[in-house]
Amino acid sequence: MTTLLWLRQDLRLHDQPALAAAAHQGPVIPVYILDDDAPGDWRIGGAQRWWLHHSLTSLGKALEQEGSRLILRRGDAVAILTGLMERTGADAIHAIRHYEPWWRKAEDALGERLCLHDGNHLAPPEQVRTGSGGQFRIYSAFWKGLQEHLPPERPLPVPDAIPAPEQWPDSDALAGWQLLPTTPDWSGRFDWTPGEDEARHKIAALDLEGYDDRRNMPAEEGTSRLSPHLHFGEVSPRAVWHASDPHDVTFRKELAWRDFTDGVVLALPDYADRNGRAAYDKLPWRSDAEASRDLRAWRRGRTGYPIVDAGMRQLWHSGWMHNRVRMITASFLVKHLLLDWREGERWFWDCLIDADYGNNAVNWQWVAGTGVDANMFGRIMAPLSQSEKFDAADYIREWVPELAHLPDDAIHDPDAAGCRPHDYPAKLIGHREARERALAANRKVR
């Protein structure tokens, strides 16, 4: 019995339950469909397209080594899969379950033709429920509830064989999709190796010594850098879990956060578009010409706050940003510039190689104070003191070369030190002034 294997953000052969089930039944036709019909602003972003090109190249080679191949198509996923079933005589479609609202809609449309499998979570979000049967909306409670489902099952091996059909359907040429960027000053420092082999190498070499502290230091390689591999499903969360040590609780909580965010968007599918707390619909975001100017300065890393500018330039040039700096730059946009968190969320979506619908939305609303599980809006990060506290001097030197010659005691705040170079911008707004403006706006909500 021939089956289709519908691949999305699960681009791997190891621990691939949908592949294992399909291979057990007979000939398998692996299919990846570039479906750009996601609603609103959720078409796959520019940085992710770079990663996708290389990840699909890697997966195609891996399948060829197993005597199979990867079929590429572009367009409406439901229509293409339905057509492929008719032309190939396939009896079923196997796929790993996804939680983005557009994928859930497509899964519903395929109905009984689709055999769904769980494989991109430590535990399926439908299983980790509150006492009343709903999805957890507070992470601490979710983590406690998740314990009943841990440890996750051991990862599956690659099937002994991936049977090939007698005849293969036509495939698009990957180069024809033009996924690679053409902007001259972008992606020049995308220092990444996409693909399952690299993901497995990283988890085999996982070193989490001192992770609790080092993960907050922007100038250090203190994070796992597994996030894009996890987003594209080049490695499964349970494979990462079993590669870590039981004492690595902080790291495992970070891994579980991804499960939590999918549970949030399962309960609130439009969470990336709407405030989790309706009261914040009344917040008076800035939207005039000066606000537009400030947004452009933030995107380009020209705010006058070195730690913010370093983060935004790292994002643009490398497709990634250190997690501590993600929080600082997000807080700056929302609290210092009083700009709608959705502006930042969309920019991250386009520029991050690991941009994830649930993770991105929940993280932005956590920082903004507008979410169901969020910081208080009145908690405003002080970027200058954060920069000094987490020893970001060398990080700033790497990404803001105008400041590279400054000593550690001046580089965090050149204005205060009286040594701001002429080619580095003055602050868009002072910290105290920004704080007072943000708190005044918040009072209107309350």
Side-chain angles (χ1 to χ4, degrees), residues 17 26 33 43 60 133 153 159 185 205 213 216 260 268 279 299 313 320 329 342 370 405 418 421:
I33 301 166
R43 178 177 178 266
E153 295 180 4
D185 66 338
D213 296 322
N216 280 309
F260 169 68
L268 304 168
R299 288 175 173 174
R313 297 185 196 187
W320 187 81
T329 57
R342 282 159 286 216
T370 60
H405 64 285

mmCIF file of all heavy atoms in Angstrom, residues 17 26 33 43 60 133 153 159 185 205 213 216 260 268 279 299 313 320 329 342 370 405 418 421:
data_model
loop_
_atom_site.group_PDB
_atom_site.id
_atom_site.type_symbol
_atom_site.label_atom_id
_atom_site.label_comp_id
_atom_site.label_asym_id
_atom_site.label_seq_id
_atom_site.Cartn_x
_atom_site.Cartn_y
_atom_site.Cartn_z
ATOM 1 N N PRO A 17 8.005 9.504 13.721
ATOM 2 C CA PRO A 17 6.922 8.521 13.823
ATOM 3 C C PRO A 17 6.082 8.387 12.559
ATOM 4 O O PRO A 17 5.608 7.295 12.235
ATOM 5 C CB PRO A 17 6.076 9.043 14.991
ATOM 6 C CG PRO A 17 7.008 9.886 15.794
ATOM 7 C CD PRO A 17 7.935 10.505 14.801
ATOM 8 N N GLY A 26 4.345 0.065 3.460
ATOM 9 C CA GLY A 26 4.720 -0.186 2.078
ATOM 10 C C GLY A 26 5.453 0.991 1.474
ATOM 11 O O GLY A 26 6.059 1.795 2.192
ATOM 12 N N ILE A 33 5.748 20.549 0.775
ATOM 13 C CA ILE A 33 4.979 21.525 0.015
ATOM 14 C C ILE A 33 5.234 22.914 0.586
ATOM 15 O O ILE A 33 4.993 23.151 1.772
ATOM 16 C CB ILE A 33 3.476 21.209 0.062
ATOM 17 C CG1 ILE A 33 3.204 19.818 -0.510
ATOM 18 C CG2 ILE A 33 2.671 22.265 -0.718
ATOM 19 C CD1 ILE A 33 1.827 19.285 -0.195
ATOM 20 N N ARG A 43 3.145 34.022 6.427
ATOM 21 C CA ARG A 43 3.913 33.376 5.371
ATOM 22 C C ARG A 43 5.344 33.203 5.870
ATOM 23 O O ARG A 43 5.871 34.075 6.558
ATOM 24 C CB ARG A 43 3.873 34.275 4.134
ATOM 25 C CG ARG A 43 4.645 33.824 2.925
ATOM 26 C CD ARG A 43 4.388 34.832 1.796
ATOM 27 N NE ARG A 43 5.129 34.524 0.593
ATOM 28 C CZ ARG A 43 6.315 35.037 0.298
ATOM 29 N NH1 ARG A 43 6.905 35.875 1.138
ATOM 30 N NH2 ARG A 43 6.920 34.719 -0.836
ATOM 31 N N GLY A 60 16.995 15.830 1.343
ATOM 32 C CA GLY A 60 16.950 15.133 0.066
ATOM 33 C C GLY A 60 18.114 14.169 -0.094
ATOM 34 O O GLY A 60 17.931 13.027 -0.561
ATOM 35 N N GLY A 133 -9.652 20.271 32.405
ATOM 36 C CA GLY A 133 -9.592 19.759 31.046
ATOM 37 C C GLY A 133 -9.145 20.746 29.996
ATOM 38 O O GLY A 133 -9.111 20.411 28.810
ATOM 39 N N GLU A 153 9.108 9.247 25.700
ATOM 40 C CA GLU A 153 9.559 7.975 25.131
ATOM 41 C C GLU A 153 10.936 8.133 24.500
ATOM 42 O O GLU A 153 11.331 9.225 24.089
ATOM 43 C CB GLU A 153 8.562 7.477 24.085
ATOM 44 C CG GLU A 153 7.199 7.117 24.647
ATOM 45 C CD GLU A 153 6.259 6.631 23.565
ATOM 46 O OE1 GLU A 153 6.708 6.515 22.397
ATOM 47 O OE2 GLU A 153 5.085 6.379 23.870
ATOM 48 N N PRO A 159 13.965 3.940 10.046
ATOM 49 C CA PRO A 159 13.460 2.630 9.614
ATOM 50 C C PRO A 159 14.541 1.828 8.879
ATOM 51 O O PRO A 159 15.405 2.406 8.203
ATOM 52 C CB PRO A 159 12.310 2.998 8.671
ATOM 53 C CG PRO A 159 11.868 4.347 9.116
ATOM 54 C CD PRO A 159 13.104 5.045 9.592
ATOM 55 N N ASP A 185 23.596 43.006 1.913
ATOM 56 C CA ASP A 185 24.140 43.110 3.271
ATOM 57 C C ASP A 185 23.421 42.213 4.269
ATOM 58 O O ASP A 185 23.569 42.354 5.473
ATOM 59 C CB ASP A 185 24.086 44.558 3.765
ATOM 60 C CG ASP A 185 22.656 45.065 3.932
ATOM 61 O OD1 ASP A 185 21.756 44.500 3.294
ATOM 62 O OD2 ASP A 185 22.449 46.021 4.702
ATOM 63 N N ALA A 205 27.227 16.482 21.275
ATOM 64 C CA ALA A 205 28.279 17.275 21.915
ATOM 65 C C ALA A 205 27.716 18.251 22.944
ATOM 66 O O ALA A 205 28.420 19.177 23.367
ATOM 67 C CB ALA A 205 29.060 18.036 20.840
ATOM 68 N N ASP A 213 23.996 30.171 34.361
ATOM 69 C CA ASP A 213 24.596 31.505 34.312
ATOM 70 C C ASP A 213 25.033 31.883 32.899
ATOM 71 O O ASP A 213 24.768 32.993 32.439
ATOM 72 C CB ASP A 213 25.804 31.570 35.260
ATOM 73 C CG ASP A 213 25.409 31.388 36.721
ATOM 74 O OD1 ASP A 213 24.336 31.905 37.107
ATOM 75 O OD2 ASP A 213 26.157 30.732 37.457
ATOM 76 N N ASN A 216 22.894 33.547 29.998
ATOM 77 C CA ASN A 216 22.526 34.962 30.078
ATOM 78 C C ASN A 216 23.629 35.903 29.628
ATOM 79 O O ASN A 216 23.438 37.118 29.617
ATOM 80 C CB ASN A 216 22.128 35.322 31.516
ATOM 81 C CG ASN A 216 20.711 34.895 31.840
ATOM 82 O OD1 ASN A 216 19.786 35.192 31.099
ATOM 83 N ND2 ASN A 216 20.546 34.187 32.941
ATOM 84 N N PHE A 260 4.734 24.303 25.891
ATOM 85 C CA PHE A 260 3.766 25.210 26.508
ATOM 86 C C PHE A 260 3.201 26.200 25.499
ATOM 87 O O PHE A 260 1.983 26.426 25.443
ATOM 88 C CB PHE A 260 4.440 25.952 27.665
ATOM 89 C CG PHE A 260 3.632 27.092 28.215
ATOM 90 C CD1 PHE A 260 2.449 26.873 28.909
ATOM 91 C CD2 PHE A 260 4.063 28.407 28.039
ATOM 92 C CE1 PHE A 260 1.701 27.931 29.412
ATOM 93 C CE2 PHE A 260 3.329 29.469 28.549
ATOM 94 C CZ PHE A 260 2.148 29.232 29.234
ATOM 95 N N LEU A 268 -5.717 29.372 21.996
ATOM 96 C CA LEU A 268 -5.933 30.739 21.486
ATOM 97 C C LEU A 268 -5.241 30.873 20.127
ATOM 98 O O LEU A 268 -4.138 31.430 20.038
ATOM 99 C CB LEU A 268 -5.382 31.763 22.476
ATOM 100 C CG LEU A 268 -5.916 31.687 23.912
ATOM 101 C CD1 LEU A 268 -5.068 32.548 24.847
ATOM 102 C CD2 LEU A 268 -7.372 32.117 23.959
ATOM 103 N N ALA A 279 -7.726 44.065 28.213
ATOM 104 C CA ALA A 279 -7.587 45.426 28.737
ATOM 105 C C ALA A 279 -6.527 46.212 27.971
ATOM 106 O O ALA A 279 -6.630 47.440 27.829
ATOM 107 C CB ALA A 279 -7.234 45.384 30.219
ATOM 108 N N ARG A 299 14.905 48.749 14.196
ATOM 109 C CA ARG A 299 15.188 47.652 13.261
ATOM 110 C C ARG A 299 16.642 47.675 12.790
ATOM 111 O O ARG A 299 17.262 46.617 12.625
ATOM 112 C CB ARG A 299 14.259 47.743 12.046
ATOM 113 C CG ARG A 299 12.812 47.375 12.317
ATOM 114 C CD ARG A 299 11.967 47.622 11.076
ATOM 115 N NE ARG A 299 10.605 47.136 11.222
ATOM 116 C CZ ARG A 299 9.651 47.335 10.308
ATOM 117 N NH1 ARG A 299 9.928 48.025 9.202
ATOM 118 N NH2 ARG A 299 8.440 46.854 10.511
ATOM 119 N N ARG A 313 21.477 44.332 15.301
ATOM 120 C CA ARG A 313 22.407 44.082 14.188
ATOM 121 C C ARG A 313 22.770 42.605 14.101
ATOM 122 O O ARG A 313 22.922 42.061 12.996
ATOM 123 C CB ARG A 313 23.650 44.956 14.351
ATOM 124 C CG ARG A 313 23.337 46.449 14.278
ATOM 125 C CD ARG A 313 24.610 47.275 14.311
ATOM 126 N NE ARG A 313 24.345 48.684 14.620
ATOM 127 C CZ ARG A 313 25.268 49.641 14.571
ATOM 128 N NH1 ARG A 313 26.509 49.334 14.216
ATOM 129 N NH2 ARG A 313 24.951 50.886 14.878
ATOM 130 N N TRP A 320 19.806 35.409 13.938
ATOM 131 C CA TRP A 320 19.628 34.878 15.298
ATOM 132 C C TRP A 320 19.986 35.984 16.277
ATOM 133 O O TRP A 320 20.680 36.937 15.926
ATOM 134 C CB TRP A 320 20.548 33.674 15.483
ATOM 135 C CG TRP A 320 20.377 32.899 16.765
ATOM 136 C CD1 TRP A 320 19.431 31.949 17.025
ATOM 137 C CD2 TRP A 320 21.199 32.968 17.935
ATOM 138 N NE1 TRP A 320 19.610 31.427 18.297
ATOM 139 C CE2 TRP A 320 20.689 32.039 18.871
ATOM 140 C CE3 TRP A 320 22.310 33.730 18.283
ATOM 141 C CZ2 TRP A 320 21.255 31.846 20.128
ATOM 142 C CZ3 TRP A 320 22.880 33.548 19.540
ATOM 143 C CH2 TRP A 320 22.345 32.606 20.438
ATOM 144 N N THR A 329 15.835 43.822 23.806
ATOM 145 C CA THR A 329 15.408 44.571 22.617
ATOM 146 C C THR A 329 13.884 44.639 22.524
ATOM 147 O O THR A 329 13.333 45.663 22.098
ATOM 148 C CB THR A 329 15.970 43.945 21.337
ATOM 149 O OG1 THR A 329 15.560 42.577 21.244
ATOM 150 C CG2 THR A 329 17.488 44.019 21.301
ATOM 151 N N ARG A 342 3.328 43.912 18.321
ATOM 152 C CA ARG A 342 3.155 43.184 17.060
ATOM 153 C C ARG A 342 4.113 43.669 15.980
ATOM 154 O O ARG A 342 4.470 42.903 15.075
ATOM 155 C CB ARG A 342 1.694 43.285 16.611
ATOM 156 C CG ARG A 342 0.789 42.338 17.388
ATOM 157 C CD ARG A 342 -0.662 42.752 17.353
ATOM 158 N NE ARG A 342 -0.908 43.911 18.218
ATOM 159 C CZ ARG A 342 -2.011 44.086 18.930
ATOM 160 N NH1 ARG A 342 -2.970 43.190 18.899
ATOM 161 N NH2 ARG A 342 -2.153 45.166 19.685
ATOM 162 N N THR A 370 1.179 41.924 27.941
ATOM 163 C CA THR A 370 -0.175 41.853 27.401
ATOM 164 C C THR A 370 -0.725 40.433 27.366
ATOM 165 O O THR A 370 -1.879 40.228 26.992
ATOM 166 C CB THR A 370 -0.207 42.400 25.968
ATOM 167 O OG1 THR A 370 0.686 41.613 25.150
ATOM 168 C CG2 THR A 370 0.242 43.858 25.934
ATOM 169 N N HIS A 405 36.407 50.541 20.113
ATOM 170 C CA HIS A 405 37.612 51.070 20.765
ATOM 171 C C HIS A 405 37.357 51.541 22.194
ATOM 172 O O HIS A 405 38.314 51.876 22.914
ATOM 173 C CB HIS A 405 38.147 52.251 19.946
ATOM 174 C CG HIS A 405 37.210 53.416 19.898
ATOM 175 N ND1 HIS A 405 36.063 53.424 19.110
ATOM 176 C CD2 HIS A 405 37.227 54.624 20.560
ATOM 177 C CE1 HIS A 405 35.435 54.577 19.275
ATOM 178 N NE2 HIS A 405 36.104 55.319 20.150
ATOM 179 N N GLY A 418 30.619 60.437 28.179
ATOM 180 C CA GLY A 418 31.102 61.592 27.435
ATOM 181 C C GLY A 418 32.033 61.243 26.293
ATOM 182 O O GLY A 418 32.902 62.046 25.930
ATOM 183 N N PRO A 421 31.108 58.326 19.911
ATOM 184 C CA PRO A 421 31.706 58.673 18.617
ATOM 185 C C PRO A 421 30.714 59.434 17.744
ATOM 186 O O PRO A 421 29.498 59.265 17.873
ATOM 187 C CB PRO A 421 32.044 57.302 18.003
ATOM 188 C CG PRO A 421 32.052 56.350 19.154
ATOM 189 C CD PRO A 421 31.060 56.874 20.133
#
